[in-house]
Amino acid sequence: MWFDISLPTAVAGCLGIASSFVGSLYLLPRSIQNLSHDNPTRIWYRFGAVSLVCVGTPVALFLLGKTGTTGMPMLEWIGIRKEGLVSATVLPLGLFVTLFLGPIAHHTFSYFQEPVIVGRDKNTSLLEFLNEFFPNFSSNSAAQLRNILVAPISEELCFRACMAPLLLSAGLSNSMIITCAPLFFGVAHLHHAIDHVRDGWSISQVVKVVAVQFTYTSIFGALEMFIYLRTGHLASICLIHMWCNLLGLPPLSFLNAHSPVYEHRQKIGLAYGIGIVGFIAGLFPLTDPSIYGCKLWMLNSIQN
């Protein structure tokens, strides 16, 4: 299968995917939309809406393609294949675990420091440990399912696995796809401003938070698209997304003199440095397309 499309058609397709993904969340009954962001009922309704988009988008992509002996099977285009799967689930995730050595060190020192400060029993259960070690680990099961499973899989399927074939087939270079495609992902997260306003946030607070979120999601989206084009595996980028959602934004509070872990700031800072250097050093070698039998990266190189 291959896709014979122009650049305007590819861009329109990506805009359609992003619009459908976000728009589906606002086609729910008003009574559901007015519920809080973490309300289980609202979350489950949104699961249903996003599921329809996750089914419809690959189907639409399939109908847009042309069958034949050239190109790749449809499932391979969207990163569902066996070759290199084990490596794809280990190596890219390992890169991002390395990148987060700083936050891991921060949370570790914080976890073992707090019993001394607040008198908490050190013999905590696994659930209590996860709640305190991972900032985004929620006791709300529906929210946890959304943050760690549904959102990563649905977003990676739609914004990476289904957009990449369109942009590749339109002749965009790898660098252009990595740079521009994440903007669809970043803009798609701007709708969270509506929730913030509904929750009573001031306009200045909303603008600051949304600006940070847009920047972070765009950079993250670029890294994810890079990984996808190099590995050709949906599983690899889903696992990375799950890991990043679990830890959240890297905390810098250890630099604050009032932080419980301030005394460990040099060790935490060193962990940040080692993680960043290790990530950069391993980024290209550990995502070599030959490891995964990936055709996407070379397909684009041949076209350009």
Side-chain angles (χ1 to χ4, degrees), residues 64-82:
L64 186 64
K66 295 184 177 181
T67 57
T69 57
T70 59
M72 296 181 290
M74 176 62 191
L75 290 180
E76 189 170 346
W77 275 109
I78 61 173
I80 301 175
R81 58 195 186 88
K82 292 182 180 180

Side-chain angles (χ1 to χ4, degrees), residues 165-219:
L166 295 175
L167 298 173
L168 281 168
S169 300
L172 281 182
S173 66
N174 288 324
S175 58
M176 283 295 292
I177 295 173
I178 293 166
T179 303
C180 298
L183 297 178
F184 295 108
F185 185 60
V187 170
H189 282 75
L190 296 181
H191 74 97
H192 290 302
I194 298 173
D195 292 327
H196 297 327
V197 171
R198 185 180 293 145
D199 291 339
W201 292 27
S202 67
I203 297 300
S204 60
Q205 285 179 308
V206 172
V207 171
K208 290 177 183 177
V209 170
V210 168
V212 170
Q213 189 172 40
F214 174 78
T215 302
Y216 176 74
T217 52
S218 295
I219 294 173

Side-chain angles (χ1 to χ4, degrees), residues 87-139:
S87 297
T89 59
V90 176
L91 298 181
L93 178 60
L95 270 175
F96 278 77
V97 172
T98 301
L99 180 63
F100 276 76
L101 284 181
I104 291 172
H106 180 116
H107 296 315
T108 300
F109 281 117
S110 178
Y111 176 76
F112 288 105
Q113 188 83 356
E114 285 184 5
V116 178
I117 298 172
V118 301
R120 189 188 71 230
D121 183 4
K122 291 185 180 180
N123 297 318
T124 57
S125 68
L126 176 60
L127 181 59
E128 290 171 326
F129 171 80
L130 292 173
N131 272 314
E132 298 190 35
F133 190 84
F134 296 107
N136 287 349
F137 191 88
S138 173
S139 57

Side-chain angles (χ1 to χ4, degrees), residues 22 31 41 50 67 91 119 155 170 172 179 186 194 198 208 231 279 295-296 303:
V22 176
S31 59
T41 300
V50 168
T67 57
L91 298 181
E155 291 177 358
L172 281 182
T179 303
I194 298 173
R198 185 180 293 145
K208 290 177 183 177
T231 67
F279 177 80
K295 300 176 183 177
L296 295 178
Q303 288 180 346

